[in-house]
Amino acid sequence: MNLIDIGHAVRARRTELGLSQSQLAHLSGLSRQTLVGLENGALSDLGVNRVGQVMAVLGLDSPAPDTLARRKKRGLWMAAKTASVSYARELGPEALEKVLASGDVPPPFTAHLTHLLDEAPIPVVVMAVEETASRARLPPRQVWRNVAKLAESLSVHRRALWA
């Protein structure tokens, strides 16, 4: 697998997840220009750590980037457990799916969502968004808009990350 093949896999997966180049660059810690170069096959070199960052956000495994292993994981369950770690009342995967699909948080779960968007590993949130889009039959881009709306309305510290 070479950098050109990785770039094609990154573009396909980013599109599948409904992320813009700017969003993915922001989530993975790369500049947009670097991501554009990667997707277009214009980069002659990109460090393995930087490639690993973008692939981890997208749930791509190496050496052959695909999502087979990721699809076996339960993204909503993992995200709901992460969101509930410090609270007596647990946010279940079904409730989290409704929140991500609608962009509205029931008052008892405001702290849970704030914790999720401020503290959860980015790949866990990406998995939850992907699973929500699939289960709710929504375009991933719409779920991402809901995440941005939630981050803004909850004034999470990492709200710029989700914008």
Side-chain angles (χ1 to χ4, degrees), residues 70-145:
R70 173 111 164 216
R71 291 179 188 177
K72 294 178 185 176
K73 295 180 180 178
R74 299 181 301 167
L76 280 168
W77 180 86
M78 289 172 61
K81 287 295 182 189
T82 300
S84 299
V85 73
S86 299
Y87 305 100
R89 185 168 184 185
E90 188 169 307
L91 172 68
E94 295 80 15
L96 178 58
E97 177 186 343
K98 286 180 185 175
V99 169
L100 295 177
S102 70
D104 298 318
V105 184
F109 297 120
T110 300
H112 296 69
L113 263 292
T114 300
H115 178 80
L116 178 70
L117 296 177
D118 265 342
E119 303 292 335
I122 293 168
V124 170
V125 178
V126 172
M127 278 193 294
V129 167
E130 179 180 24
E131 197 171 318
T132 296
S134 175
R135 289 170 55 158
R137 293 185 173 91
L138 294 171
R141 188 171 294 281
Q142 183 176 340
V143 181
W144 282 114
R145 281 192 294 264

